[in-house]
Amino acid sequence: MTETLRPHTIPSTRRTPQLVGTALGHALEWYDWGIYAIFVPFFATQFFHQGNQLSAVLSSLAIFAVGFVARPLGGFVFGRLADRIGRKTAMSATVATIAVASFAVGVSPTYTSIGAWASLILLVARVVQGLACGGELPSAQTYLSEIAPAEKRGTWSSLIYIASVFGNTVGVLLGLVLTLTLSNTEMHTFGWRIPFLLGGVFGLVAVYMRRKMSETEAFTLAGRERSRLWPELVRHRKEALRVIGLSVGFTVVYYSWVVAAPAYAINSLHVSSSGALWAGVASSVLLMAVMPFWGKLSDRIGRKPVLLISTLGAAVMLYPMQFLMGHNAWRLFAAMAIAAVFISAGVSILPAVYAEMFPTHIRAVGLAVPYSVAVAVFGGTAPYLQTWIGAKLGQSSYTGYVLFLLVVSSLVIARMPETRGKDLR
């Protein structure tokens, strides 16, 4: 049986900065995180030896994965900050850190200028960004879920991944504009810097918006409870393991088909850069359009049925999508569009599902640590494995890996309690 939260309303004068600040800051995270994967073909040889293009790309993707290793620590630090000092403070700190790291990449000297020091700068910037990203998503998800009315929490939670996809889509559109207006030489020389520098500017705007936000009612009523962290995490170890099991399938399928698919199509399938980016933009628009529908459906029929539609539907369609994705942009779009429909069902309500697992005093850190571990291990390696396994063993082998993880998540969902409408206080 679910519990019903006493209805409460948020005045529109408070709601607007809360929603805009949450969405804009979260879009920045995924813009900065996504442009790395999108622009790898252009900047890889700027940070590593130019003698071998594939080696440089793989090295850059390895650093992409290393950035994820820092996420669990960042999840712990910023998640604890969110639970002790406030969601608003933690969210402001994360976007400021993300912006600084993005700007550092944009102004970094190249391998030709300073040798391996360029590679080190890229590595440090991605680790710092990984720390911040490890705390951003749990803090933002917790904040949005706590300010949402219980009966509409699934619908409201879709804003998180709408913002995520929007941020990534802006990066893809920027890549499309740059590749159409600049020559290949110009893209490799300076064009790749533009999105990282803009990320720093966007970060300043996000920090300003988040400073105008108010703290959540649930956190305020909890009174900054000083609970002992580790005993509480051990007490809720089943929920932590559930977060990992639930996240592995969604993380890998999302990174494979939403974030990294255009770059993979360019590097491995030799689809034109502009065509692959257009396919990514169009499928992302579809993804954003259907997410509120799934969120609203979960508020009516429950979280579990919608989650299972997502994982099982995506699992069934993985191999057909792989065979559909060929060497032209139209086929790439068709495959990504099918993926978008099923992926959107799950990711649209994950923020609500995660928030409904933990009590207020450890809601952010309780989610942040296991979620960051899952994303670090499985999400961070997804673009690299997609490229490496595809080149060595064939794309079908990588698809089998994704299928297995979706089955794992489906089994976890089947054993979860239904939490629709649960009281978050």
Side-chain angles (χ1 to χ4, degrees):
M1 177 181 297
T2 58
E3 300 170 310
T4 302
L5 178 62
R6 175 177 56 86
H8 65 285
T9 58
I10 300 174
S12 59
T13 53
R14 288 177 52 201
R15 180 183 300 167
T16 299
Q18 284 179 319
L19 296 181
V20 173
T22 302
L24 184 61
H26 201 62
L28 170 69
E29 176 197 355
W30 284 86
Y31 166 84
D32 280 347
W33 205 253
I35 58 175
Y36 187 98
I38 294 167
F39 286 88
V40 158
F42 302 109
F43 71 74
T45 54
Q46 303 302 307
F47 287 95
F48 299 94
H49 194 278
Q50 300 183 16
N52 188 317
Q53 173 71 20
L54 178 61
S55 176
V57 169
L58 289 175
S59 296
S60 299
L61 291 177
I63 286 185
F64 182 80
V66 169
F68 279 85
V69 175
R71 291 178 77 119
L73 176 59
F76 174 80
V77 172
F78 288 104
R80 189 58 170 162
L81 180 67
D83 286 333
R84 294 292 296 271
I85 300 178
R87 303 359 181 166
K88 171 186 171 181
T89 300
M91 292 166 66
S92 298
T94 56
V95 293
T97 306
I98 291 169
V100 169
S102 179
F103 186 78
V105 175
V107 300
S108 173
T110 64
Y111 187 92
T112 303
S113 301
I114 59 174
W117 287 105
S119 306
L120 181 60
I121 291 174
L122 181 65
L123 174 63
V124 171
R126 294 304 291 180
V127 169
V128 170
Q129 194 171 52
L131 289 169
C133 289
E136 163 60 23
L137 183 61
S139 298
Q141 289 184 156
T142 298
Y143 183 88
L144 186 62
S145 295
E146 288 182 349
I147 67 172
E151 69 278 4
K152 296 182 179 179
R153 191 178 297 129
T155 306
W156 280 43
S157 76
S158 65
L159 177 64
I160 287 292
Y161 277 92
I162 290 175
S164 301
V165 178
F166 177 77
N168 187 66
T169 303
V170 169
V172 174
L173 280 173
L174 182 57
L176 181 62
V177 170
L178 290 174
T179 55
L180 290 175
T181 56
L182 300 177
S183 67
N184 190 57
T185 300
E186 290 172 330
M187 282 298 300
H188 282 81
T189 303
F190 68 88
W192 62 269
R193 296 182 182 275
I194 296 174
F196 291 101
L197 295 175
L198 287 176
V201 176
F202 295 157
L204 295 178
V205 178
V207 170
Y208 171 76
M209 290 301 301
R210 287 192 166 179
R211 287 177 61 87
K212 296 175 63 177
M213 294 162 53
S214 57
E215 190 52 78
T216 72
E217 183 180 359
F219 177 81
T220 302
L221 292 178
R224 293 177 170 83
E225 183 176 337
R226 293 294 192 269
S227 59
R228 297 178 62 190
L229 177 60
W230 293 113
E232 284 295 303
L233 290 178
V234 171
R235 178 185 171 192
H236 293 89
R237 60 188 179 278
K238 182 183 295 185
E239 288 80 3
L241 291 174
R242 188 176 294 146
V243 169
I244 294 175
L246 181 60
S247 300
V248 293
F250 285 113
T251 296
V252 173
V253 76
Y254 184 88
Y255 274 92
S256 299
W257 282 97
V258 177
V259 177
Y264 173 79
I266 294 170
N267 288 322
S268 300
L269 301 179
H270 308 295
V271 176
S272 68
S273 297
S274 59
L277 293 176
W278 270 121
V281 169
S283 63
S284 294
V285 171
L286 175 63
L287 183 69
M288 289 185 285
V290 297
M291 275 197 277
F293 164 79
W294 292 116
K296 184 174 295 185
L297 184 64
S298 79
D299 286 328
R300 296 186 62 182
I301 69 173
R303 314 298 188 217
K304 291 179 63 175
V306 176
L307 290 173
L308 287 172
I309 289 172
S310 181
T311 54
L312 296 178
V316 168
M317 294 304 298
L318 275 178
Y319 278 104
M321 290 187 304
Q322 177 198 317
F323 294 129
L324 179 59
M325 184 171 63
H327 298 281
N328 66 71
W330 283 108
R331 293 182 62 176
L332 173 64
F333 165 70
M336 292 183 70
I338 295 172
V341 171
F342 289 104
I343 292 172
S344 64
V347 299
S348 64
I349 64 172
L350 281 178
V353 174
Y354 289 140
E356 290 162 351
M357 289 183 183
F358 297 95
T360 300
H361 59 281
I362 63 162
R363 182 165 294 128
V365 74
L367 163 62
V369 175
Y371 178 82
S372 297
V373 169
V375 172
V377 174
F378 296 95
T381 58
Y384 184 92
L385 290 176
Q386 189 175 32
T387 301
W388 185 82
I389 293 178
K392 300 294 184 180
L393 303 176
Q395 186 61 18
S396 293
S397 297
Y398 180 77
T399 300
Y401 165 70
V402 180
L403 175 62
F404 171 76
L405 293 178
L406 284 172
V407 171
V408 170
S409 291
S410 298
L411 294 174
V412 172
I413 294 167
R415 296 178 61 85
M416 284 173 50
E418 179 57 61
T419 57
R420 174 173 60 95
K422 185 177 182 181
D423 189 344
L424 295 188
R425 298 183 183 180

